Amino acid sequence: SKAAGERAAAIMSLIATARQNGYEPYAYLKDVLTRLPTHPDRRIAELLPHRWR
């Protein structure tokens, strides 16, 4: 479906951006998905690959 394609594209984009920033994609996604449920919405930009720590 179109929605599934859009979700897949977003995830692939995150993976590619993590690689470009020198991060191992699995470690990045594992950390972000673990932190996401308790992370404040107003600080969501901190979890993007180019700002992730």
Side-chain angles (χ1 to χ4, degrees):
S1 72
K2 182 181 178 200
E6 289 172 355
R7 284 189 296 270
I11 292 170
M12 287 187 266
S13 178
L14 283 174
I15 290 170
T17 306
R19 281 190 185 129
Q20 289 174 345
N21 283 282
Y23 303 125
E24 199 279 311
Y26 176 78
Y28 166 73
L29 288 174
K30 182 180 175 190
D31 180 65
V32 168
L33 292 174
T34 300
R35 292 167 53 186
L36 196 56
T38 60
H39 199 78
D41 291 345
R42 68 183 182 284
R43 293 179 30 212
I44 202 75
E46 296 172 4
L47 300 179
L48 294 173
H50 66 283
R51 297 185 67 198
W52 180 68
R53 302 274 179 223

